[in-house]
Amino acid sequence: MHTGPTFYLKRLKGYAEIFLVLHNIMSFSPTQKTLAILPKFTGFLSLMGSLFIFQDVVIHKRPINRVYYRIMLGLSCSDMIASTVNIFSTWPIPPDSGNFLASGTTATCTAQGFFNELGNLATPLYNASLCAYYVLIIRQAWSEDRIRVRAEPFMHAIPILIALTIAILGLPFTLYNNSGWLCWIAKYPKGCSGSECTRGVHADIFRWVHYAIIWSAIIGVTVGMYLIYLKVKSFDRREAEEN
């Protein structure tokens, strides 16, 4: 058995390191721990759902020549990006931010912010594209070929180009910084204003643009679902009158 001074010093050092880790964990509030850990589980579940759709379309060889499956493929890919960002949560944030589990750098934070913006803009816009597809099929009675030629290019181009453009613009404007529990559009240092900010000076403007796009997609889907409801209701009424 090793019972020399060196052996005991090593054990004491190990105990001290464990104590420091536990002390560091206990120094964070329950809210900070929840915001750092919970998104990893919700992001994982979302990622599994999107992967299931992806493999159902690609691996099981669904009729990819149909517009519906191509829209679902784009939707699942954009959601996989957003879900992966949530799984990383606070990891890419620089440790001097004071966030629980933060262990990244400015570069990793910027990368997370870029993909966060890309995925979280493309996903609702692809939902709007899916809604537009249903409106054209159910309400307008468009054929699959007509949708493929006249509408589908816009159903992919709008989500991809808008999301990619806004996400790329965030790089030269240094918009991607610690926003609480992940890296997104935020000013740095936190709570700064005007010349006090070293990064993300125009964060407020881009946040408004982000929310405007999101709400436009939400309103578009709501209107589309209502139009479908009216169409189905009129169809039911006409069928009831005929019977």
Side-chain angles (χ1 to χ4, degrees), residues 11-23:
R11 294 195 66 176
L12 286 172
K13 183 179 179 181
Y15 292 143
E17 290 176 351
I18 293 173
F19 175 78
L20 287 174
V21 170
L22 292 175
H23 180 269

Side-chain angles (χ1 to χ4, degrees), residues 18-242:
I18 293 173
F19 175 78
L20 287 174
V21 170
L22 292 175
H23 180 269
N24 184 46
I25 293 175
M26 295 300 293
S27 65
F28 292 95
S29 68
T31 301
Q32 288 177 305
K33 295 174 187 176
T34 302
L35 289 175
I37 296 173
L38 187 60
K40 299 183 185 301
F41 293 98
T42 56
F44 176 77
L45 293 175
S46 179
L47 179 62
M48 289 300 99
S50 295
L51 281 172
F52 177 80
I53 295 173
F54 181 86
Q55 64 88 28
D56 192 49
V57 174
V58 177
I59 299 177
H60 289 180
K61 301 185 184 303
R62 295 288 182 183
I64 198 68
N65 60 314
R66 285 190 56 189
V67 175
Y68 169 79
Y69 286 108
R70 288 196 291 270
I71 294 174
M72 290 302 297
L73 187 62
L75 177 60
S76 62
C77 288
S78 62
D79 187 69
M80 281 191 285
I81 295 173
S83 301
T84 303
V85 168
N86 286 342
I87 292 173
F88 280 94
S89 67
T90 57
W91 282 338
I93 301 174
D96 60 1
S97 64
N99 290 76
F100 183 59
L101 299 179
S103 56
T105 63
T106 300
T108 58
C109 191
T110 299
Q112 185 190 38
F114 173 83
F115 288 107
N116 185 18
E117 183 68 356
L118 179 64
N120 281 294
L121 278 183
T123 300
L125 290 173
Y126 256 115
N127 272 291
S129 293
L130 184 61
C131 179
Y133 170 81
Y134 285 128
V135 170
L136 294 175
I137 286 286
I138 298 172
R139 183 177 176 83
Q140 303 303 119
W142 281 27
S143 67
E144 182 81 7
D145 290 337
R146 188 179 181 186
I147 294 175
R148 181 184 299 112
V149 174
R150 300 185 60 180
E152 187 186 6
F154 299 100
M155 292 176 175
H156 296 288
I158 291 175
I160 293 172
L161 291 179
I162 290 180
L164 198 58
T165 299
I166 300 299
I168 290 175
L169 283 175
L171 297 175
F173 285 102
T174 63
L175 296 176
Y176 303 127
N177 304 292
N178 172 28
S179 64
W181 59 275
L182 46 65
C183 294
W184 187 48
I185 299 172
K187 295 179 180 179
Y188 182 84
K190 185 177 180 180
C192 69
S193 62
S195 59
E196 298 174 356
C197 301
T198 57
R199 292 174 57 86
V201 177
H202 304 288
D204 291 340
I205 297 174
F206 276 86
R207 280 204 175 201
W208 277 108
V209 171
H210 174 91
Y211 290 128
I213 294 171
I214 297 295
W215 277 105
S216 296
I218 292 172
I219 293 171
V221 169
T222 303
V223 172
M225 291 296 99
Y226 183 68
L227 292 175
I228 292 173
Y229 163 76
L230 293 178
K231 181 66 175 181
V232 174
K233 185 179 179 180
S234 65
F235 177 80
D236 289 341
R237 185 185 299 113
R238 186 167 58 252
E239 188 177 54
E241 291 174 352
E242 292 175 352

